[in-house]
Amino acid sequence: MLEYIKGLNEAQKEAVLHINGPLMIVAGAGSGKTKVLTTRIAHLLSTGVDAFNILALTFTNKAAREMKERVERILGNNEARNLYIGTFHSVFARILRAEAPKLGYPHHFTIYDTDDAKSVVKTVVNELNLDDKHYKPNIVYNRISQAKNGLIGPAEYATDYYIQQEDARSNRPAIAQVYEAYAKRCFKNGSMDFDDLLLKFYELLKHFPESLHKYQHKFKYILIDEFQDTNPAQYEIIKLLGAVYENVCVVGDDAQSIYSFRGATIENILQFQKDYDDVKVVKLEQNYRSTQSIITAANEVIKRNKGQIPKNLWTENIEGEKIRLVRTMTDNDEGKYVADTIQEQKLRNHFNNRDFAILYRTNSQSRAFEESLRRMNIPYTIYGGISFYQRKEIKDFISYLRVIVNPSDEESLKRIINFPARGIGKTTLDKAVLMANENNISMWAVLCNAASMGFKAGTLEAIEQFVQMIKSFASMLNTKNAYEVATHVGKQTNIVRELFNDKTTEGLARYENIQELLNSIKEWVDNQQNMALIDEDGILIDNRDTQETQKGQAGLSGYLQQITLLTDTDQKDPEADTVKLMTIHAAKGLEFSCVFAAGLEESLFPNAMSINTREELEEERRLFYVVITRAKHKLWITYANSRYRFGSVIQNDPSRFIEEIPEDQLDRSYAGGGIKNQVGSWSGRPAYDRLNRGYGSGDDAATKSRESAKPTYISSSAKTPAPVHIPSLDFAPSDTSHLAAGDKVEHQKFGFGEVVRMEGSAHNPIATVNFKLGGEKKIMLNYAKLRIIKES
DNA sequence: CGTTACCAGATTTTT
DNA sequence: TCTGGTAACG
């Protein structure tokens, strides 16, 4: 008997012991899915499969890391390090890094995150002379992304009847052109967005038979986690890779499909069974995670969705407590209630902080919980929200590093060309872009040949200095590791010193962020140098082609390559003894003893953006299913009568999902009117309570919230406007070239005054004027308009 | 050219 | 409330 098989149930064993041929595991929530996957990998290895031939794909780095660790634990040796486990995006990025030149991209292509991509969309929309009010980058980008995830290129997009109909209907018929221009621009920039990592890898396999052959034979065994969240691009890639051996194992749960907005489709589950003969299907239906009460509630909720794979999730666990429904007056009260309850539960039932999770629909809900937890001194960790790498100062710094590695990256180049200010302003930038487009060369090339481009002398000097600086940084790439280059850049550009000298609170925070970035680069470098090169067979990374031969893997380009694919979820330690705050999406795959499902209100959850079609609503319901099934022992569902949004109060009805939980699993005793008294001792912002008039009336929630969107009683701190001078009717700027001290003048805004003294140089004269209203001001005569009233 | 002050618009989820 | 874009000022 194999040691690792012990403790598996029959279905689990069946899945683990299946070695060759396609396998589909339908794994209900909490049914031991990860255990099965990892044990199966261990089993494959112990039956003689070479670790180098196994590919396991997940959706998050966290899941990948966990899988790797668990396999290691089962095996008890370090054979697991040779496995190819990672996210779709990171694995493909890594392969593309070696193969990109076949597709015309540089080895060191830049990976654009969503913000970068939207910014490119925006420039392209403007260059096509389209109205960016109508062609909003967000909408256009999503449309393009959706197309890419469906493996639809610009040409096909432009000719697809239904797509064109849709765009015509939304009055955005030019999206096809934008798509084409966008793709061209990214290519010219030597960069790929997230979707390109899939699309381009697909193209590689499709158009280069020798590459296809290579990876088909490398990855003899393929495992896919969270299969319900794959999109058509991912599906087709797997299909290509697995076509020879057909040892493809997919694990998924259609009830937990929550990423259709990103192009994922449950169809893939059905398609899988059509595309392969003899798919072995194993259902894991026994839940080991939650109480019966929770499972019953979850089953009842999900039942309301149409068209599911029939399955029956059950558990042998105890019945457990009922689900507590909690109503509070405001979002702050909700936060307070949750923090209080956590405190109480810790004392009463000896829970640790890490046993609690507060899960919500939107990131913006985190604030109320943050405040109340901080007030109670309960340690917490927030996942998601604005990632570290999206902060302005970090992006700026990273942009330097990107330009050094890939100067074609116009997006990054534009960010840093005048940061810190070096006299290359908007005018110059526009000119450079124009010339790049006209001559069909990169902006970098324009800058390199600035001398022949007719810039003004001062500007030219600034540009040449900038180019020289970047070139000198780039020359370090061959000999220095990422950390060495980064610190050098920080010093030479003065970024670090400038932030250091900024003593404002924000400046301090920014300085610390940069330091943290440098530290993390250092850490990464150290890690890389300790790590053996796992690709001994030389298939994936061909070091001869990269600049990293001398420094192992620790080069700057390697660092940049992975940084974009990192989410802050991946950086935080899940074992830390803190309360976890995150969106439900981010909580997929996790479990907690005690879960607070917060903000169960109409228009928040289900979210107003997602109730237009049956499909959307069903996805929201699956999200609700996911949040319920995160809980092991205790589950609270909370909602507030009113909450702050954009600085004003809105009111929502309780979520329709609440009623979908069977009454006998629900403890409503916390949902009465008594909550106000319970939390009354604590008044976050007393003004709120006066606002909560007439909740629970049968009014249409949507109308109500819209009407109350701009309450008049919240007066934003009224600032008295500075006294404005009304210029004389006959105000006309005088010739000020002979202005002298003692002259009486009028200024459009500052009013009347007298010139105190003259300074500055001949071509940039500055007059110090003492105004009756505003006191002394320095006026630059080259720009400011003054009327001379009386010469002295 | 660079800085500041004001106003509009945004929030659904994420690799 | 916060951010980004723009206009006006120096």
Side-chain angles (χ1 to χ4, degrees):
Chain A
M1 181 69 176
L2 299 160
E3 187 60 32
Y4 47 80
I5 295 297
K6 287 182 190 162
L8 297 181
N9 66 31
E10 282 312 308
Q12 290 174 331
K13 268 182 213 166
E14 218 184 320
V16 166
L17 296 176
H18 176 94
I19 293 181
N20 289 308
L23 170 66
M24 184 164 96
I25 304 170
V26 180
S31 62
K33 173 195 73 170
T34 311
K35 189 177 183 183
V36 167
L37 267 180
T38 50
T39 314
R40 184 164 182 273
I41 292 174
H43 181 63
L44 289 174
L45 294 175
S46 73
T47 55
V49 175
D50 191 339
F52 285 101
N53 292 328
I54 297 177
L55 171 69
L57 296 172
T58 64
F59 275 85
T60 63
N61 297 297
K62 191 178 57 190
R65 199 186 316 129
E66 192 191 345
M67 203 181 286
K68 208 159 201 170
E69 281 167 6
R70 282 172 74 160
V71 176
E72 251 162 35
R73 223 175 302 146
I74 299 171
L75 290 174
N77 60 35
N78 53 18
E79 186 59 12
R81 65 163 51 181
N82 296 326
L83 293 165
Y84 227 88
I85 301 182
T87 65
F88 281 89
H89 294 269
S90 68
V91 167
F92 298 166
R94 195 155 163 207
I95 296 175
L96 282 170
R97 197 166 170 208
E99 307 268 20
K102 285 186 185 162
L103 300 163
Y105 286 85
H107 275 301
H108 304 292
F109 63 87
T110 308
I111 298 175
Y112 281 164
D113 66 21
T114 316
D115 290 337
D116 301 322
K118 283 176 188 165
S119 165
V120 176
V121 167
K122 198 173 173 188
T123 38
V124 164
V125 163
N126 286 329
E127 283 176 13
L128 289 172
N129 285 321
L130 297 167
D131 176 14
D132 62 0
K133 286 269 165 9
H134 190 58
Y135 286 86
K136 289 193 186 130
N138 231 325
I139 294 174
V140 178
Y141 172 74
N142 283 332
R143 200 90 182 116
I144 293 173
S145 173
Q146 213 74 9
K148 285 184 177 178
N149 286 327
L151 296 176
I152 297 165
E156 200 184 331
Y157 188 97
T159 50
D160 186 288
Y161 178 77
Y162 288 103
I163 291 174
Q164 287 312 306
Q165 285 295 307
E166 277 171 15
D167 283 350
R169 223 175 298 135
S170 71
N171 208 10
R172 276 182 275 263
I175 291 186
Q177 284 149 261
V178 179
Y179 183 10
E180 190 192 355
Y182 170 80
K184 272 192 186 147
R185 180 57 56 89
C186 286
F187 181 78
K188 187 179 157 197
N189 289 0
S191 52
M192 300 193 194
D193 64 19
F194 287 143
D195 305 315
D196 283 332
L197 295 176
L198 309 179
L199 186 65
K200 298 299 163 190
F201 183 54
Y202 175 79
E203 287 175 5
L204 177 78
L205 299 179
K206 197 78 186 165
H207 302 310
F208 297 88
E210 72 283 4
S211 293
L212 177 63
H213 186 262
K214 181 161 82 182
Y215 296 112
Q216 277 176 336
H217 288 277
K218 169 151 178 68
F219 302 130
K220 292 192 172 76
Y221 291 85
I222 301 172
L223 298 91
I224 316 291
D225 194 14
E226 310 280 11
F227 189 63
Q228 75 281 353
D229 289 330
T230 51
N231 61 38
Q234 289 160 330
Y235 184 87
E236 291 303 322
I237 289 169
I238 296 160
K239 196 171 155 187
L240 283 174
L241 284 178
V244 174
Y245 294 94
E246 295 205 339
N247 294 324
V248 181
C249 163
V250 301
V251 188
D253 179 7
D254 56 315
Q256 294 185 64
S257 159
I258 53 174
Y259 281 105
S260 74
F261 69 92
R262 235 167 70 189
T265 162
I266 322 185
E267 290 293 303
N268 286 346
I269 293 182
L270 309 172
Q271 193 61 35
F272 187 79
Q273 298 186 73
K274 287 184 197 154
D275 281 350
Y276 298 87
D277 301 327
D278 304 324
V279 177
K280 181 170 180 73
V281 178
V282 177
K283 283 188 190 174
L284 305 180
E285 296 178 303
Q286 182 177 0
N287 173 294
Y288 294 94
R289 179 185 293 156
S290 312
T291 62
Q292 294 210 4
S293 199
I294 288 167
I295 296 299
T296 308
N299 280 338
E300 286 301 314
V301 166
I302 202 66
K303 235 193 219 169
R304 297 182 181 242
N305 276 5
K306 286 182 176 172
Q308 304 181 67
I309 297 179
K311 69 176 138 351
N312 172 38
L313 198 64
W314 60 278
T315 183
E316 285 177 350
N317 292 345
I318 57 162
E319 173 69 21
E321 294 171 16
K322 288 185 177 182
I323 298 165
R324 290 187 198 174
L325 183 65
V326 179
R327 177 173 75 174
T328 63
M329 297 305 282
T330 69
D331 46 354
N332 285 330
D333 292 344
E334 186 185 35
K336 168 65 176 160
Y337 179 88
V338 170
D340 278 347
T341 307
I342 290 175
Q343 190 71 293
E344 185 210 326
Q345 289 290 332
K346 276 168 66 178
L347 293 173
R348 192 195 295 256
N349 295 323
H350 306 293
F351 282 117
N352 293 308
N353 294 316
R354 71 168 74 86
D355 295 320
F356 298 93
I358 305 170
L359 307 179
Y360 35 77
R361 177 68 234 269
T362 65
N363 277 308
S364 58
Q365 287 166 256
S366 68
R367 185 197 277 169
F369 299 107
E370 251 182 288
E371 278 174 15
S372 55
L373 289 170
R374 197 160 30 207
R375 225 176 277 243
M376 304 274 291
N377 280 323
I378 301 172
Y380 61 88
T381 313
I382 297 188
Y383 290 79
I386 337 103
S387 136
F388 180 70
Y389 298 103
Q390 288 176 26
R391 286 164 213 238
K392 192 184 170 301
E393 64 273 18
I394 301 297
K395 278 216 93 156
D396 286 337
F397 195 88
I398 299 264
S399 293
Y400 265 100
L401 307 181
R402 281 177 167 185
V403 169
I404 294 164
V405 167
N406 172 21
S408 309
D409 177 1
E410 194 178 300
E411 212 45 45
S412 303
L413 187 55
K414 280 195 282 195
R415 266 192 98 97
I416 59 159
I417 191 163
N418 200 31
F419 169 79
R422 54 171 67 84
I424 307 179
K426 196 176 175 305
T427 324
T428 313
L429 191 70
D430 287 347
K431 197 169 166 185
V433 171
L434 199 71
M435 282 191 279
N437 288 345
E438 274 179 1
N439 301 314
N440 200 25
I441 53 176
S442 71
M443 197 168 119
W444 174 247
V446 172
L447 298 180
C448 285
N449 300 305
S452 58
M453 298 283 176
F455 287 103
K456 280 196 294 190
T459 316
L460 182 62
E461 201 188 323
I463 293 175
E464 282 177 338
Q465 249 174 34
F466 173 75
V467 169
Q468 210 40 53
M469 182 178 71
I470 297 295
K471 279 184 176 164
S472 82
F473 292 155
S475 71
M476 299 173 69
L477 287 176
N478 288 318
T479 49
K480 305 283 192 233
N481 67 37
Y483 179 67
E484 292 163 330
V485 178
T487 45
H488 183 75
V489 170
K491 275 186 205 140
Q492 292 296 306
T493 55
N494 263 336
I495 294 177
V496 175
R497 193 182 315 151
E498 216 163 86
L499 288 176
F500 181 74
N501 290 332
D502 184 351
K503 292 302 178 195
T504 60
T505 336
E506 311 88 68
L508 204 67
R510 269 185 250 133
Y511 176 73
E512 281 169 2
N513 282 338
I514 293 284
Q515 288 303 334
E516 197 180 327
L517 177 71
L518 290 172
N519 287 341
S520 82
I521 297 178
K522 175 99 170 61
E523 203 174 301
W524 180 84
V525 166
D526 292 346
N527 265 332
Q528 294 298 303
Q529 285 171 340
N530 293 334
M531 224 168 80
L533 289 181
I534 69 164
D535 301 292
E536 303 166 10
D537 51 6
I539 284 190
L540 290 186
I541 296 201
D542 193 337
N543 278 318
R544 285 166 308 179
D545 293 341
T546 68
Q547 301 171 332
E548 294 174 359
T549 331
Q550 293 121 4
K551 0 170 256 307
Q553 299 268 72
L556 188 56
S557 106
Y559 173 76
L560 292 175
Q561 198 79 201
Q562 52 109 50
I563 202 88
T564 321
L565 298 171
L566 231 48
T567 61
D568 73 341
T569 314
D570 299 317
Q571 333 240 345
K572 294 174 177 160
D573 176 15
E575 296 302 313
D577 189 25
T578 58
V579 174
K580 306 296 186 295
L581 281 72
M582 64 187 90
T583 63
I584 302 170
H585 282 91
K588 196 184 62 172
L590 305 178
E591 59 179 31
F592 304 91
S593 275
C594 306
V595 167
F596 294 88
L600 258 285
E601 293 146 37
E602 281 295 304
S603 88
L604 188 60
F605 189 17
N607 194 275
M609 307 296 290
S610 310
I611 47 174
N612 302 315
T613 65
R614 165 161 217 106
E615 287 71 34
E616 283 177 350
L617 184 63
E618 292 203 346
E619 178 144 321
E620 293 287 301
R621 187 175 285 114
R622 289 194 293 271
L623 210 44
F624 188 47
Y625 176 82
V626 168
V627 72
I628 293 173
T629 53
R630 293 314 94 196
K632 282 153 75 172
H633 305 117
K634 291 167 185 279
L635 175 63
W636 285 261
I637 290 176
T638 68
Y639 64 96
N641 282 322
S642 66
R643 64 175 62 242
Y644 255 72
R645 197 185 177 228
F646 302 142
S648 55
V649 175
I650 58 160
Q651 303 196 0
N652 291 323
D653 286 338
S655 169
R656 66 187 78 180
F657 292 151
I658 292 173
E659 289 151 39
E660 299 181 0
I661 294 180
E663 276 304 314
D664 52 355
Q665 308 299 337
L666 209 54
D667 179 355
R668 285 184 179 268
S669 60
Y670 297 82
I675 292 310
K676 193 180 168 190
N677 292 335
Q678 286 182 25
V679 295
S681 57
W682 183 83
S683 51
R685 275 182 244 177
Y688 288 16
D689 284 347
R690 276 188 285 124
L691 306 176
N692 298 313
R693 328 140 291 174
Y695 57 82
S697 65
D699 291 359
D700 175 19
T703 350
K704 212 161 51 181
S705 59
R706 233 167 272 134
E707 276 168 6
S708 54
K710 279 224 166 108
T712 44
Y713 30 77
I714 309 259
S715 66
S716 54
S717 55
K719 258 185 276 172
T720 41
V724 189
H725 168 72
I726 295 146
S728 320
L729 282 174
D730 59 340
F731 186 92
S734 316
D735 172 18
T736 50
S737 48
H738 299 105
L739 198 70
D743 289 350
K744 297 234 187 325
V745 294
E746 181 189 2
H747 183 274
Q748 272 192 315
K749 197 167 169 186
F750 302 129
F752 302 102
E754 185 179 327
V755 177
V756 180
R757 59 184 171 273
M758 295 297 301
E759 51 199 321
S761 57
H763 27 269
N764 186 24
I766 299 168
T768 305
V769 183
N770 187 14
F771 289 103
K772 280 180 186 149
L773 276 89
E776 280 199 7
K777 299 256 188 250
K778 287 188 190 304
I779 308 289
M780 296 170 87
L781 297 180
N782 277 354
Y783 305 107
K785 298 179 188 74
L786 286 180
R787 182 172 78 118
I788 299 174
I789 299 170
K790 185 167 146 258
E791 287 179 42
S792 56

